[in-house]
Amino acid sequence: MLRFTHQACTSFLAGKHATIDGSTLIARNEDNFVAIWPKRVMVHPADESRDLTFISKKNHFTTTLPEHAVHYTAMPDTNPDEGHYEESGINAHNVAMSATESAYTNSLVLGVDPLVATGIAEDAMLTVILPYIDSARAGIQRLGQLVTTAGAAETNGVLFSDTDEVWYMEIVSGHHWVAQRIPDDAYAVVANQLAIEDIDFDDPKNFMASANIQHFVQAHRLNPDGNRFNSRHIFGTHTADDAHYNTPRVWYGHKLFTPSAFEEPTSMALPFIRHAEQKISVPQVEAFLGSHYQETPFDPLGNGTEQERHQFRAVGLSRTQNSHILQLRRDVVPALAGVIWQALGNPAFSPYLPVYAAGNQLDATFAGDNTDYNGQNPYWAAKLLNILSEDHYRQNRKLRDSFLTTMQSWGIQRLTSGDVISAPDEMSLGVLNAETAQLFNTAIQEQIGKLVQANADLSALSFTMDDNL
């Protein structure tokens, strides 16, 4: 199988007062350039055996790891030939991380601080950061130090959260970065662009940045605005690709969560920070991550013209491999706080499995080798479900939508039953996770069976039989 990089994601972040239950939320679709690139779920125990000298298989980025590592979850590529690409997880300190949202820096900036071929990149990022941090801020500081000293190989956005704060960090050049705390009552949508706007260097509670970044910008005359420091304007791009590939996804997210906002899908000035008109729930975030411009002419599966239906890139794609919502809850004991809502494949059709991050296991099928097709493997079952769900899209709409709604309710029920465990620990939560995963796998197989039957009945190669034949 040919190797393609992970460079086409969509991210969502929400502060604790913006959500319906006071949770912090970070979420992202991990997309690839091909429809099939198997992923699996891993649970890493504290201080598991590892080489303290980390060397990336992709570009030979090298760093020395701390001696102590905490328990964390991850979603690596099944094929590790070019790196782990662990992508998303929650650690034992209830810190969540999702990496990365690929973005682009303009040529003026890269002319004076180019990306570093052997610098830190997406393939290594979660592996060398998440097991060693105890807060979202600590994650930014650790990653920022690596960018400053070793350099960055890519322009990337990185999501961090803990039970109190949500942060978005952007690596904007070979050695510089900025980060902004998402206000507690706000949300943000990011889609393959540098998104952070004005930086207030006198407000360390809400902004962080690499040392001397102001001097760097001033010395090289990079600021097009003069007195203000708008990171997006200084470091970002403004291209036709941005207008048709990136900004429409941000526009549609704003349309869902702030419907009164009057915006254009190709606008280059969509705000980074938005306030929702209602409290945000996990099912609403799931709906956004699986969205494809429903109820607009731009829906590829809708009724618009040929040009309209192919004008913009949707959020949920056949190329989506891993869609996750990392929820950190504030109204439960710490062992129950971290919940991973995990979908494999396109969340337009794939439901989300709820997993307690503190558990020491999931069902073994999620961690198994899935390089080759196996209909019983969760990754491949999800891909089959996606294909069958998209086929005869209009005719099977009720069957498909009912399944996703039912699975949302079922997921909440599983958490409700888990939350009453009297003394939750990694063992008891691991057992519950395994049981939840097994039930989830069964539900997927049952839905596949229903779609096979429904699609067979809709075949163009059918015929109404005469009683006399």
Side-chain angles (χ1 to χ4, degrees), residues 315-374:
V315 177
L317 291 178
S318 63
R319 304 196 309 263
T320 303
Q321 312 299 336
N322 152 31
S323 181
H324 53 271
I325 303 170
L326 306 181
Q327 180 183 24
L328 292 168
R329 304 183 296 168
R330 297 162 50 81
D331 59 348
V332 294
V333 298
L336 299 172
V339 176
I340 301 165
W341 296 87
Q342 183 63 59
L344 293 167
N346 185 357
F349 309 121
S350 290
Y352 287 78
L353 167 71
V355 174
Y356 285 101
N360 65 358
Q361 64 169 316
L362 195 56
D363 182 70
T365 58
F366 282 83
D369 183 6
N370 55 9
T371 302
D372 298 318
Y373 178 81
N374 177 352

Side-chain angles (χ1 to χ4, degrees), residues 120 143-152 169 171 173-177:
I120 190 166
L143 178 54
Q145 179 66 18
L146 287 171
V147 170
T148 299
T149 56
M169 177 182 183
I171 299 167
S173 71
H175 298 87
H176 285 287
W177 56 272

Side-chain angles (χ1 to χ4, degrees), residues 24 49 129 149 188 244 306 380 400 405 449 458:
T24 58
S49 177
I129 302 296
T149 56
H244 290 269
E306 184 74 10
W380 288 104
R400 180 184 61 254
T405 301
L458 294 169

Side-chain angles (χ1 to χ4, degrees), residues 419-431:
D419 286 349
V420 300
I421 295 176
S422 59
D425 57 17
E426 65 176 23
M427 182 69 72
S428 59
L429 294 175
V431 170

Side-chain angles (χ1 to χ4, degrees), residues 226-295:
N227 293 330
R228 63 190 290 208
F229 194 99
N230 185 303
S231 182
R232 184 194 298 179
H233 291 176
I234 295 168
F235 300 101
T237 58
H238 298 79
T239 67
D241 284 345
D242 290 327
H244 290 269
Y245 191 82
N246 301 327
T247 62
R249 286 176 277 157
V250 179
W251 163 78
Y252 194 71
H254 292 176
K255 179 179 173 65
L256 293 180
F257 294 102
T258 314
S260 66
F262 183 77
E263 298 174 343
E264 293 296 328
T266 59
S267 170
M268 296 291 187
L270 298 179
F272 174 52
I273 301 298
R274 267 291 186 197
H275 291 84
E277 294 177 7
Q278 293 183 322
K279 297 288 188 178
I280 297 168
S281 68
V282 167
Q284 288 174 315
V285 180
E286 291 179 6
F288 167 64
L289 293 175
S291 65
H292 41 89
Y293 307 115
Q294 293 97 313
E295 308 304 321

Side-chain angles (χ1 to χ4, degrees), residues 10-22:
T10 307
S11 296
F12 180 88
L13 310 91
K16 59 191 177 185
H17 297 321
T19 63
I20 198 167
D21 63 353

